[in-house]
């Protein structure tokens, strides 16, 4: 690399870091439901969890970047509010809706400028339509899959009707996306669980880097045993994404939050407190 090229690259990196430091960034963890799983065999193709059960959390995240708000994932549909748990293979329920939680911190649905979605499964897009004027950011691979026949496992395109049918703004994301252009909030391409699945990097002034996993894994120990859910769309891509996320967490000294893991989400403050 020429010295002049190196200097320009370094200057660009420093400018991005300074811009990120200048922006006020806050992160809230929201309750978006839970899913009781009767048999965890469906979450590992290496037979690690046969015969065991667990309740997975369904978490969503609000990010404030100066005066702009981004919602990351939107959880289970509001139709599951107070749904009773049962003995089905997977039993989802929702205790409180997103608008109700946002009201507690003085944020209205209309204040949400952007909705970022980790992937197309119904438990991550359930309440997206509560923000119909927001711009939707979603992986191109997933958006393309929502137009396919038959629909892939877990997909519910009707939950994204404002964008897929009614013309609200949508961006099909390819590769990593620096959402605000300053490195503070970045969608990270992590395919494998679905064709266009994503994780999210949030850089906070006090807490430092936070990695929100999407569904790269569903609980922390999956990183160690390399177990991949049989319903993932690509095993090799899944393992590569798991490796990338672990490497990034180490390099950035980031707090890695597995969104479905009840123990992991405790790494962030309890709502209505925010991480800063």
């Amino acid at each position: 690399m020429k010295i002049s090229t190196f200097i320009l690259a370094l200057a660009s990196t420093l400018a991005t870091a300074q811009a990120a430091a200048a922006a006020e960034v806050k992160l809230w963890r929201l309750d978006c439901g839970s899913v009781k799983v009767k048999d965890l065999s469906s979450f590992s193709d290496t037979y690690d969890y046969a015969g065991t059960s667990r309740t997975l959390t369904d978490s969503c995240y609000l990010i404030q970047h100066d005066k702009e708000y981004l919602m990351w994932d939107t959880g289970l549909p509001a139709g599951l509010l107070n749904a009773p748990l049962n003995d089905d293979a997977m039993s989802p329920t929702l205790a409180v809706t997103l608008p109700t939680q946002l009201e507690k911190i003085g944020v209205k649905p209309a204040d949400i400028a952007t909705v970022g979605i980790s992937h197309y499964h119904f438990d991550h897009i359930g309440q997206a339509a509560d923000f119909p004027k927001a711009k939707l950011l979603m992986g191109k691979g997933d958006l393309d899959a929502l137009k396919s026949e038959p629909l892939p496992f877990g997909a519910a395109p009707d939950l994204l009707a404002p964008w897929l049918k009614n013309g609200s703004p949508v961006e099909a994301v390819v590769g990593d996306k620096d959402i605000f252009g300053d490195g503070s909030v970045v969608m990270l391409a992590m395919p494998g669980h679905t064709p266009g699945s994503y994780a999210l990097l949030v850089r906070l002034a006090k807490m430092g880097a936070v990695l929100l996993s999407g569904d790269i894994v569903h609980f922390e120990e999956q990183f160690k045993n390399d177990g991949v859910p049989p319903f993932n769309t690509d095993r090799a891509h899944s393992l590569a994404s798991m490796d990338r996320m672990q490497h990034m967490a180490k390099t950035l000294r980031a707090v890695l939050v597995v969104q479905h893991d009840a123990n992991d989400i405790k790494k962030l403050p309890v709502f209505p407190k925010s991480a800063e």
Side-chain angles (χ1 to χ4, degrees):
M1 180 184 290
K2 294 181 179 179
I3 294 178
S4 58
T5 303
F6 173 79
I7 292 174
L8 288 173
L10 179 60
S12 176
T13 300
L14 291 174
T16 297
Q18 290 171 354
E24 181 184 17
V25 182
K26 295 181 180 180
L27 171 66
W28 288 266
R29 169 173 60 87
L30 302 168
D31 181 1
C32 281
S34 61
V35 182
K36 179 183 176 182
V37 182
K38 187 176 182 179
D39 184 356
L40 283 176
S41 296
S42 58
F43 286 84
S44 175
D45 58 5
T46 51
Y47 301 97
D48 290 287
Y49 312 110
T52 63
S53 61
R54 187 180 301 201
T55 297
L56 303 180
T57 56
D58 205 341
S59 53
C60 304
Y61 300 86
L62 177 70
I63 296 100
Q64 179 183 353
H65 181 276
D66 286 338
K67 296 182 179 180
E68 190 170 342
Y69 289 100
L70 160 74
M71 182 66 68
W72 176 251
D73 282 343
T74 62
L76 291 165
L80 290 170
L81 187 64
N82 298 320
L85 296 176
N86 54 49
D87 289 327
D88 291 346
M90 294 187 189
S91 180
T93 188
L94 184 68
V96 60
T97 65
L98 278 175
T100 298
Q101 292 175 84
L102 293 176
E103 186 178 5
K104 292 183 179 180
I105 56 174
V107 176
K108 301 176 182 178
D111 295 332
I112 306 300
T114 309
V115 172
I117 297 295
S118 63
H119 63 290
Y120 57 56
H121 286 157
F122 82 102
D123 57 322
H124 290 257
I125 63 174
Q127 298 171 69
D130 285 325
F131 314 102
K133 302 299 182 182
K135 181 178 181 179
L136 179 70
L137 300 178
M138 194 169 180
K140 183 179 185 301
D142 275 25
L143 284 169
D144 289 344
L146 289 175
K147 302 172 186 177
S148 64
E149 293 185 7
L151 285 170
F153 169 81
D158 287 347
L159 294 172
L160 297 176
W163 300 275
L164 300 184
K165 296 181 180 180
N166 302 333
S168 291
V170 58
E171 179 178 341
V173 181
V174 177
D176 293 352
K177 179 174 176 62
D178 185 347
I179 295 176
F180 298 104
D182 61 6
S184 62
V185 185
V186 182
M187 286 179 68
L188 303 169
M190 298 277 184
H193 184 60
T194 61
S197 53
Y198 273 79
L200 192 72
L201 168 64
V202 182
R203 287 187 170 99
L204 300 170
K206 296 179 181 178
M207 192 172 190
V210 177
L211 281 169
L212 303 176
S213 69
D215 275 11
I216 308 312
V217 293
H218 294 83
F219 24 92
E220 187 79 38
E221 58 263 37
Q222 284 177 305
F223 283 123
K224 297 179 181 178
N225 57 44
D226 287 340
V228 172
F231 55 83
N232 276 23
T233 57
D234 191 297
R235 191 177 203 281
H237 288 170
S238 295
L239 293 174
S241 291
M242 291 162 66
D243 183 69
R244 184 190 185 202
M245 176 161 284
Q246 291 176 92
H247 190 92
M248 289 185 68
K250 183 178 180 180
T251 301
L252 298 174
R253 298 181 180 178
V255 176
L256 173 56
V257 179
V258 177
Q259 294 181 210
H260 279 302
D261 192 318
N263 293 320
D264 254 45
I265 64 172
K266 292 177 182 177
K267 296 173 182 175
L268 294 174
V270 176
F271 187 82
K273 291 183 178 179
S274 64
E276 301 179 14

